[in-house]
Amino acid sequence: MKRLFIKSIACFSLFLTIWLGACEQGFDDINTNPNAPADASAAFVLPGALVDMAYYTHYQLGINYIGLWVQQHASGAYPEEDQYSPRLNDINVFWNNIYDNSMKDLQYIIDNGTPNQVAVAKILSAYGYMTLTDIWGDIPYSKALQAEKGGEYLTPEFDTQKDVYTGIIKDLDDAVNMMDKTSIEKFGDEDLMLHGDLDLWEKFANALRLRAYLHLSQVEPATAQAGIELMLSKPLPESNSENIALYFADVPGNRNPVHSHFSGRPNDFRMSKSMIDRLIASGDSINPADPRTGVYAQRNIEGYYVGVPNGVNGLGDVGLDNFTSCKFGTVFIEPTAPIYFMTYAEIAFIRAEAAARGWIADDAKTAYEAAIRASMDQYGITDETAIQNFLTDPQVAYDAARGLELVSTQKWVAMFGQSTESWTNFRRTGWPNLPIALNDQNNGKFPKRMLYPSVEQTTNATNVATATQRQGGAELADPIWWDVD
């Protein structure tokens, strides 16, 4: 698969020449990230950090692995990833480029920026560390990204996931507290995502803390409940107009990386049978129950919605081909498609889960339906009759006895394309009820974590061994700290 890289300064320079909402990494050359040279200002470093964060966490990891493991889509060409057999070189690429590109650049801003710039970098860094720890468990955190100090920082220890979460929540709190919204010393349009709007950055920080507390629901429920109650009282995105997303432009070299992948290799992925079956619900493959079906998927050549079972060796094994199976909906693969970091719908589903658990006073049914409506609105679905029919569908209608199952399942549907967070929620709750991939290479068990990269096992072997022993293992089937079920 192609790897996309870009220099931070090159990304910012390109931004200055066009009006786009974001810049994408180049496709023809593999460049070395300068990791913020000493004479670079924070304004020049941020664009590359943002783009790299979106690229590696959402596209490289989300499309190529995690979206397969959580069965939002399926493989159409390369079965190993879909059968729980990750490629060791891919793991090295993911780990190294998240740390060495985006996270390193953000650390530079934290060390050299103005208070408002530091606040933004801390929020993005917290997002990055939460992604890393949710994928790998224990990770370098407190001593990461400080190799210039030498000694133990060259081979940083792995912090426990509990300590990483404690640090993330504190970092987000510190970021909000240090903002000075009256100061002109802040990011402007070089902030490709929120354009220097500190009110939105504060809402993003609060939303990330809300997400973090939800992740603790099984392992530290009292902490989770108190944290969720607190964060729901703070400023949060209030509608889909405040979704936290990186937008792209239909300009060569600056298109959404998913679009660029599918333009060159349109048959690599297909819609998963698990997702299509859920979208159809009580309808059928011609007239699906979920109004989002036509957004998420394209009909096959025969006019049907047909998904591919995860883990097939080839489409022919299940009587399908590139024409009789469904592609992604065009909204996800068009050049200007956004990459979402956090959506209003996700926040609404967190509220719905808290209500279903009895942690807040909101009516659970009302909160659940509001969350589904937020997802419909995100994709421009306004047909009230269709929405109401869906909400009363027997497989969808709220039932308090199945509250958590229903909320978690519909959240999985709503977060199509946000694979990492969907995988987190699947591991945390056990919902939706998904089948093990066909021809799986993990002894009939779902992946619970990603393997540690071989490069880390070679260059930082002692700390990897310590973290592995402390966690009781670090194989695909071994759960991470907050995954107690």
PDB file of all heavy atoms in Angstrom, residues 4 35 47 65 68 80-81 84-85 103 121 125 130 136 157 187 195 199 205 253 283 307 311 351 355 369 371 379 408:
ATOM      1  N   LEU A   4       2.014   7.846   2.538  1.00  0.00           N
ATOM      2  CA  LEU A   4       1.958   9.257   2.224  1.00  0.00           C
ATOM      3  C   LEU A   4       2.665  10.038   3.312  1.00  0.00           C
ATOM      4  O   LEU A   4       2.373   9.885   4.490  1.00  0.00           O
ATOM      5  CB  LEU A   4       0.501   9.728   2.130  1.00  0.00           C
ATOM      6  CG  LEU A   4      -0.379   8.890   1.227  1.00  0.00           C
ATOM      7  CD1 LEU A   4      -1.811   9.342   1.345  1.00  0.00           C
ATOM      8  CD2 LEU A   4       0.088   9.000  -0.198  1.00  0.00           C
ATOM      9  N   ASN A  35      10.787  17.200  11.500  1.00  0.00           N
ATOM     10  CA  ASN A  35      10.492  17.226  12.935  1.00  0.00           C
ATOM     11  C   ASN A  35      10.795  18.584  13.547  1.00  0.00           C
ATOM     12  O   ASN A  35      11.460  18.714  14.569  1.00  0.00           O
ATOM     13  CB  ASN A  35      11.262  16.129  13.684  1.00  0.00           C
ATOM     14  CG  ASN A  35      10.687  14.765  13.401  1.00  0.00           C
ATOM     15  OD1 ASN A  35       9.492  14.643  13.117  1.00  0.00           O
ATOM     16  ND2 ASN A  35      11.512  13.751  13.443  1.00  0.00           N
ATOM     17  N   PRO A  47       0.428  22.756  10.651  1.00  0.00           N
ATOM     18  CA  PRO A  47      -0.296  22.114   9.544  1.00  0.00           C
ATOM     19  C   PRO A  47       0.138  20.677   9.299  1.00  0.00           C
ATOM     20  O   PRO A  47      -0.701  19.783   9.134  1.00  0.00           O
ATOM     21  CB  PRO A  47       0.032  23.020   8.345  1.00  0.00           C
ATOM     22  CG  PRO A  47       0.309  24.344   8.944  1.00  0.00           C
ATOM     23  CD  PRO A  47       1.014  24.053  10.238  1.00  0.00           C
ATOM     24  N   TYR A  65      -6.653  -1.529   8.683  1.00  0.00           N
ATOM     25  CA  TYR A  65      -6.720  -2.570   9.714  1.00  0.00           C
ATOM     26  C   TYR A  65      -7.985  -2.477  10.572  1.00  0.00           C
ATOM     27  O   TYR A  65      -8.829  -3.362  10.559  1.00  0.00           O
ATOM     28  CB  TYR A  65      -5.472  -2.513  10.622  1.00  0.00           C
ATOM     29  CG  TYR A  65      -4.280  -3.178  10.006  1.00  0.00           C
ATOM     30  CD1 TYR A  65      -3.361  -2.436   9.276  1.00  0.00           C
ATOM     31  CD2 TYR A  65      -4.086  -4.557  10.099  1.00  0.00           C
ATOM     32  CE1 TYR A  65      -2.269  -3.050   8.673  1.00  0.00           C
ATOM     33  CE2 TYR A  65      -2.997  -5.177   9.506  1.00  0.00           C
ATOM     34  CZ  TYR A  65      -2.092  -4.424   8.791  1.00  0.00           C
ATOM     35  OH  TYR A  65      -1.025  -5.037   8.191  1.00  0.00           O
ATOM     36  N   LEU A  68     -11.486  -3.016   9.408  1.00  0.00           N
ATOM     37  CA  LEU A  68     -11.726  -4.424   9.090  1.00  0.00           C
ATOM     38  C   LEU A  68     -12.034  -5.210  10.358  1.00  0.00           C
ATOM     39  O   LEU A  68     -12.944  -6.039  10.396  1.00  0.00           O
ATOM     40  CB  LEU A  68     -10.498  -5.016   8.394  1.00  0.00           C
ATOM     41  CG  LEU A  68     -10.077  -4.378   7.071  1.00  0.00           C
ATOM     42  CD1 LEU A  68      -8.725  -4.933   6.620  1.00  0.00           C
ATOM     43  CD2 LEU A  68     -11.124  -4.615   5.985  1.00  0.00           C
ATOM     44  N   GLU A  80      -5.071 -10.884   4.471  1.00  0.00           N
ATOM     45  CA  GLU A  80      -4.355 -11.074   5.726  1.00  0.00           C
ATOM     46  C   GLU A  80      -4.828 -10.127   6.819  1.00  0.00           C
ATOM     47  O   GLU A  80      -5.089 -10.533   7.963  1.00  0.00           O
ATOM     48  CB  GLU A  80      -2.844 -10.898   5.510  1.00  0.00           C
ATOM     49  CG  GLU A  80      -2.187 -11.994   4.691  1.00  0.00           C
ATOM     50  CD  GLU A  80      -2.250 -11.712   3.192  1.00  0.00           C
ATOM     51  OE1 GLU A  80      -2.928 -10.737   2.794  1.00  0.00           O
ATOM     52  OE2 GLU A  80      -1.632 -12.470   2.430  1.00  0.00           O
ATOM     53  N   GLU A  81      -4.936  -8.856   6.491  1.00  0.00           N
ATOM     54  CA  GLU A  81      -5.347  -7.880   7.489  1.00  0.00           C
ATOM     55  C   GLU A  81      -6.740  -8.188   8.042  1.00  0.00           C
ATOM     56  O   GLU A  81      -7.010  -8.015   9.229  1.00  0.00           O
ATOM     57  CB  GLU A  81      -5.333  -6.466   6.885  1.00  0.00           C
ATOM     58  CG  GLU A  81      -3.953  -5.954   6.549  1.00  0.00           C
ATOM     59  CD  GLU A  81      -3.518  -6.279   5.122  1.00  0.00           C
ATOM     60  OE1 GLU A  81      -4.057  -7.263   4.560  1.00  0.00           O
ATOM     61  OE2 GLU A  81      -2.641  -5.572   4.587  1.00  0.00           O
ATOM     62  N   TYR A  84      -6.955 -11.046  10.753  1.00  0.00           N
ATOM     63  CA  TYR A  84      -6.223 -10.817  12.007  1.00  0.00           C
ATOM     64  C   TYR A  84      -4.757 -11.237  11.892  1.00  0.00           C
ATOM     65  O   TYR A  84      -4.193 -11.857  12.792  1.00  0.00           O
ATOM     66  CB  TYR A  84      -6.873 -11.545  13.180  1.00  0.00           C
ATOM     67  CG  TYR A  84      -8.375 -11.418  13.268  1.00  0.00           C
ATOM     68  CD1 TYR A  84      -9.154 -12.457  13.755  1.00  0.00           C
ATOM     69  CD2 TYR A  84      -9.035 -10.257  12.872  1.00  0.00           C
ATOM     70  CE1 TYR A  84     -10.539 -12.345  13.859  1.00  0.00           C
ATOM     71  CE2 TYR A  84     -10.421 -10.140  12.963  1.00  0.00           C
ATOM     72  CZ  TYR A  84     -11.160 -11.189  13.441  1.00  0.00           C
ATOM     73  OH  TYR A  84     -12.527 -11.086  13.534  1.00  0.00           O
ATOM     74  N   SER A  85      -4.142 -10.879  10.776  1.00  0.00           N
ATOM     75  CA  SER A  85      -2.732 -11.198  10.569  1.00  0.00           C
ATOM     76  C   SER A  85      -2.000  -9.937  10.109  1.00  0.00           C
ATOM     77  O   SER A  85      -1.712  -9.772   8.922  1.00  0.00           O
ATOM     78  CB  SER A  85      -2.579 -12.321   9.525  1.00  0.00           C
ATOM     79  OG  SER A  85      -1.219 -12.651   9.351  1.00  0.00           O
ATOM     80  N   MET A 103       3.362  13.574  16.585  1.00  0.00           N
ATOM     81  CA  MET A 103       3.571  13.798  18.016  1.00  0.00           C
ATOM     82  C   MET A 103       4.845  14.591  18.275  1.00  0.00           C
ATOM     83  O   MET A 103       4.897  15.435  19.181  1.00  0.00           O
ATOM     84  CB  MET A 103       3.611  12.455  18.754  1.00  0.00           C
ATOM     85  CG  MET A 103       2.335  11.639  18.627  1.00  0.00           C
ATOM     86  SD  MET A 103       0.882  12.456  19.325  1.00  0.00           S
ATOM     87  CE  MET A 103       1.234  12.318  21.066  1.00  0.00           C
ATOM     88  N   ALA A 121      -1.724  22.507  20.869  1.00  0.00           N
ATOM     89  CA  ALA A 121      -0.847  21.347  20.706  1.00  0.00           C
ATOM     90  C   ALA A 121      -1.093  20.306  21.788  1.00  0.00           C
ATOM     91  O   ALA A 121      -1.029  19.100  21.527  1.00  0.00           O
ATOM     92  CB  ALA A 121       0.610  21.797  20.718  1.00  0.00           C
ATOM     93  N   SER A 125      -2.132  16.584  21.046  1.00  0.00           N
ATOM     94  CA  SER A 125      -1.249  15.564  21.592  1.00  0.00           C
ATOM     95  C   SER A 125      -2.029  14.577  22.454  1.00  0.00           C
ATOM     96  O   SER A 125      -1.799  13.362  22.391  1.00  0.00           O
ATOM     97  CB  SER A 125      -0.134  16.222  22.405  1.00  0.00           C
ATOM     98  OG  SER A 125       0.782  15.265  22.878  1.00  0.00           O
ATOM     99  N   MET A 130      -4.206   9.264  23.300  1.00  0.00           N
ATOM    100  CA  MET A 130      -5.364   8.422  23.563  1.00  0.00           C
ATOM    101  C   MET A 130      -5.516   7.385  22.454  1.00  0.00           C
ATOM    102  O   MET A 130      -5.823   6.216  22.719  1.00  0.00           O
ATOM    103  CB  MET A 130      -6.649   9.242  23.690  1.00  0.00           C
ATOM    104  CG  MET A 130      -7.777   8.467  24.369  1.00  0.00           C
ATOM    105  SD  MET A 130      -9.406   9.300  24.404  1.00  0.00           S
ATOM    106  CE  MET A 130      -8.988  10.896  25.074  1.00  0.00           C
ATOM    107  N   TRP A 136      -2.535   0.176  21.613  1.00  0.00           N
ATOM    108  CA  TRP A 136      -1.429  -0.658  22.099  1.00  0.00           C
ATOM    109  C   TRP A 136      -1.438  -0.928  23.601  1.00  0.00           C
ATOM    110  O   TRP A 136      -0.690  -1.776  24.063  1.00  0.00           O
ATOM    111  CB  TRP A 136      -0.090  -0.022  21.717  1.00  0.00           C
ATOM    112  CG  TRP A 136       0.345  -0.342  20.322  1.00  0.00           C
ATOM    113  CD1 TRP A 136       0.911  -1.512  19.891  1.00  0.00           C
ATOM    114  CD2 TRP A 136       0.264   0.498  19.166  1.00  0.00           C
ATOM    115  NE1 TRP A 136       1.190  -1.437  18.546  1.00  0.00           N
ATOM    116  CE2 TRP A 136       0.801  -0.218  18.069  1.00  0.00           C
ATOM    117  CE3 TRP A 136      -0.207   1.798  18.949  1.00  0.00           C
ATOM    118  CZ2 TRP A 136       0.875   0.318  16.777  1.00  0.00           C
ATOM    119  CZ3 TRP A 136      -0.135   2.327  17.672  1.00  0.00           C
ATOM    120  CH2 TRP A 136       0.395   1.592  16.607  1.00  0.00           C
ATOM    121  N   GLU A 157      10.650   4.453  28.947  1.00  0.00           N
ATOM    122  CA  GLU A 157       9.826   3.424  29.572  1.00  0.00           C
ATOM    123  C   GLU A 157       8.387   3.539  29.097  1.00  0.00           C
ATOM    124  O   GLU A 157       7.951   4.586  28.620  1.00  0.00           O
ATOM    125  CB  GLU A 157       9.883   3.557  31.091  1.00  0.00           C
ATOM    126  CG  GLU A 157       9.257   4.838  31.626  1.00  0.00           C
ATOM    127  CD  GLU A 157       9.398   4.973  33.129  1.00  0.00           C
ATOM    128  OE1 GLU A 157      10.082   4.130  33.739  1.00  0.00           O
ATOM    129  OE2 GLU A 157       8.822   5.916  33.685  1.00  0.00           O
ATOM    130  N   PHE A 187      -2.942  30.665  16.989  1.00  0.00           N
ATOM    131  CA  PHE A 187      -2.940  30.219  15.612  1.00  0.00           C
ATOM    132  C   PHE A 187      -4.046  30.915  14.836  1.00  0.00           C
ATOM    133  O   PHE A 187      -5.113  31.235  15.379  1.00  0.00           O
ATOM    134  CB  PHE A 187      -3.149  28.706  15.531  1.00  0.00           C
ATOM    135  CG  PHE A 187      -1.967  27.899  15.993  1.00  0.00           C
ATOM    136  CD1 PHE A 187      -2.067  27.047  17.079  1.00  0.00           C
ATOM    137  CD2 PHE A 187      -0.753  27.990  15.330  1.00  0.00           C
ATOM    138  CE1 PHE A 187      -0.983  26.302  17.502  1.00  0.00           C
ATOM    139  CE2 PHE A 187       0.344  27.252  15.737  1.00  0.00           C
ATOM    140  CZ  PHE A 187       0.231  26.406  16.836  1.00  0.00           C
ATOM    141  N   HIS A 195      -9.186  26.802  12.572  1.00  0.00           N
ATOM    142  CA  HIS A 195      -8.839  28.170  12.170  1.00  0.00           C
ATOM    143  C   HIS A 195      -8.678  29.128  13.354  1.00  0.00           C
ATOM    144  O   HIS A 195      -9.122  30.273  13.315  1.00  0.00           O
ATOM    145  CB  HIS A 195      -9.880  28.697  11.175  1.00  0.00           C
ATOM    146  CG  HIS A 195     -10.065  27.787  10.005  1.00  0.00           C
ATOM    147  ND1 HIS A 195      -9.147  27.689   8.979  1.00  0.00           N
ATOM    148  CD2 HIS A 195     -11.038  26.871   9.723  1.00  0.00           C
ATOM    149  CE1 HIS A 195      -9.548  26.772   8.112  1.00  0.00           C
ATOM    150  NE2 HIS A 195     -10.677  26.257   8.533  1.00  0.00           N
ATOM    151  N   ASP A 199     -12.766  28.883  21.137  1.00  0.00           N
ATOM    152  CA  ASP A 199     -14.005  28.334  21.704  1.00  0.00           C
ATOM    153  C   ASP A 199     -14.212  26.898  21.231  1.00  0.00           C
ATOM    154  O   ASP A 199     -14.598  26.019  22.015  1.00  0.00           O
ATOM    155  CB  ASP A 199     -15.207  29.188  21.304  1.00  0.00           C
ATOM    156  CG  ASP A 199     -15.256  30.523  22.037  1.00  0.00           C
ATOM    157  OD1 ASP A 199     -14.769  30.587  23.185  1.00  0.00           O
ATOM    158  OD2 ASP A 199     -15.765  31.496  21.461  1.00  0.00           O
ATOM    159  N   ALA A 205     -11.511  19.902  23.482  1.00  0.00           N
ATOM    160  CA  ALA A 205     -10.839  19.384  24.681  1.00  0.00           C
ATOM    161  C   ALA A 205     -11.832  18.760  25.641  1.00  0.00           C
ATOM    162  O   ALA A 205     -11.595  17.680  26.204  1.00  0.00           O
ATOM    163  CB  ALA A 205     -10.057  20.503  25.370  1.00  0.00           C
ATOM    164  N   GLY A 253      -2.910  16.730  -5.052  1.00  0.00           N
ATOM    165  CA  GLY A 253      -2.002  16.724  -3.913  1.00  0.00           C
ATOM    166  C   GLY A 253      -2.639  17.107  -2.608  1.00  0.00           C
ATOM    167  O   GLY A 253      -1.994  17.049  -1.561  1.00  0.00           O
ATOM    168  N   GLY A 283     -35.658  -4.313   6.875  1.00  0.00           N
ATOM    169  CA  GLY A 283     -35.962  -4.158   5.463  1.00  0.00           C
ATOM    170  C   GLY A 283     -35.363  -5.286   4.659  1.00  0.00           C
ATOM    171  O   GLY A 283     -35.268  -6.417   5.123  1.00  0.00           O
ATOM    172  N   GLY A 307     -23.050  -6.960   1.264  1.00  0.00           N
ATOM    173  CA  GLY A 307     -21.756  -6.810   1.906  1.00  0.00           C
ATOM    174  C   GLY A 307     -20.937  -8.086   1.828  1.00  0.00           C
ATOM    175  O   GLY A 307     -21.453  -9.168   1.540  1.00  0.00           O
ATOM    176  N   GLY A 311     -12.915 -11.600   6.353  1.00  0.00           N
ATOM    177  CA  GLY A 311     -11.994 -12.722   6.441  1.00  0.00           C
ATOM    178  C   GLY A 311     -11.987 -13.655   5.261  1.00  0.00           C
ATOM    179  O   GLY A 311     -11.314 -14.688   5.303  1.00  0.00           O
ATOM    180  N   ARG A 351     -23.896  10.670  25.773  1.00  0.00           N
ATOM    181  CA  ARG A 351     -24.993  11.061  26.661  1.00  0.00           C
ATOM    182  C   ARG A 351     -26.035   9.953  26.754  1.00  0.00           C
ATOM    183  O   ARG A 351     -26.548   9.646  27.841  1.00  0.00           O
ATOM    184  CB  ARG A 351     -25.629  12.350  26.152  1.00  0.00           C
ATOM    185  CG  ARG A 351     -26.747  12.898  27.053  1.00  0.00           C
ATOM    186  CD  ARG A 351     -27.383  14.144  26.465  1.00  0.00           C
ATOM    187  NE  ARG A 351     -26.472  15.274  26.482  1.00  0.00           N
ATOM    188  CZ  ARG A 351     -26.317  16.092  27.509  1.00  0.00           C
ATOM    189  NH1 ARG A 351     -27.023  15.896  28.627  1.00  0.00           N
ATOM    190  NH2 ARG A 351     -25.491  17.106  27.431  1.00  0.00           N
ATOM    191  N   ALA A 355     -27.164   7.890  30.069  1.00  0.00           N
ATOM    192  CA  ALA A 355     -28.572   7.816  30.485  1.00  0.00           C
ATOM    193  C   ALA A 355     -29.004   6.359  30.633  1.00  0.00           C
ATOM    194  O   ALA A 355     -29.712   5.993  31.586  1.00  0.00           O
ATOM    195  CB  ALA A 355     -29.448   8.539  29.473  1.00  0.00           C
ATOM    196  N   GLU A 369     -32.668   8.331  20.852  1.00  0.00           N
ATOM    197  CA  GLU A 369     -33.237   8.774  19.582  1.00  0.00           C
ATOM    198  C   GLU A 369     -32.592  10.073  19.116  1.00  0.00           C
ATOM    199  O   GLU A 369     -32.389  10.268  17.908  1.00  0.00           O
ATOM    200  CB  GLU A 369     -34.754   8.931  19.716  1.00  0.00           C
ATOM    201  CG  GLU A 369     -35.470   7.600  19.927  1.00  0.00           C
ATOM    202  CD  GLU A 369     -36.981   7.732  20.003  1.00  0.00           C
ATOM    203  OE1 GLU A 369     -37.476   8.890  20.039  1.00  0.00           O
ATOM    204  OE2 GLU A 369     -37.670   6.690  20.012  1.00  0.00           O
ATOM    205  N   ALA A 371     -29.513  10.882  19.587  1.00  0.00           N
ATOM    206  CA  ALA A 371     -28.204  10.523  19.047  1.00  0.00           C
ATOM    207  C   ALA A 371     -28.331   9.994  17.620  1.00  0.00           C
ATOM    208  O   ALA A 371     -27.530  10.349  16.737  1.00  0.00           O
ATOM    209  CB  ALA A 371     -27.539   9.481  19.945  1.00  0.00           C
ATOM    210  N   TYR A 379     -25.441  13.507   7.855  1.00  0.00           N
ATOM    211  CA  TYR A 379     -25.400  13.135   6.443  1.00  0.00           C
ATOM    212  C   TYR A 379     -26.561  13.726   5.644  1.00  0.00           C
ATOM    213  O   TYR A 379     -26.874  13.259   4.551  1.00  0.00           O
ATOM    214  CB  TYR A 379     -25.358  11.612   6.326  1.00  0.00           C
ATOM    215  CG  TYR A 379     -24.100  11.047   6.930  1.00  0.00           C
ATOM    216  CD1 TYR A 379     -24.132  10.342   8.129  1.00  0.00           C
ATOM    217  CD2 TYR A 379     -22.863  11.270   6.331  1.00  0.00           C
ATOM    218  CE1 TYR A 379     -22.963   9.856   8.700  1.00  0.00           C
ATOM    219  CE2 TYR A 379     -21.697  10.789   6.893  1.00  0.00           C
ATOM    220  CZ  TYR A 379     -21.757  10.086   8.077  1.00  0.00           C
ATOM    221  OH  TYR A 379     -20.599   9.616   8.654  1.00  0.00           O
ATOM    222  N   SER A 408     -24.913   0.997  21.927  1.00  0.00           N
ATOM    223  CA  SER A 408     -23.599   0.642  21.392  1.00  0.00           C
ATOM    224  C   SER A 408     -23.675   0.237  19.927  1.00  0.00           C
ATOM    225  O   SER A 408     -22.805   0.591  19.122  1.00  0.00           O
ATOM    226  CB  SER A 408     -22.988  -0.498  22.214  1.00  0.00           C
ATOM    227  OG  SER A 408     -22.783  -0.104  23.554  1.00  0.00           O
TER     228      SER A 408
END
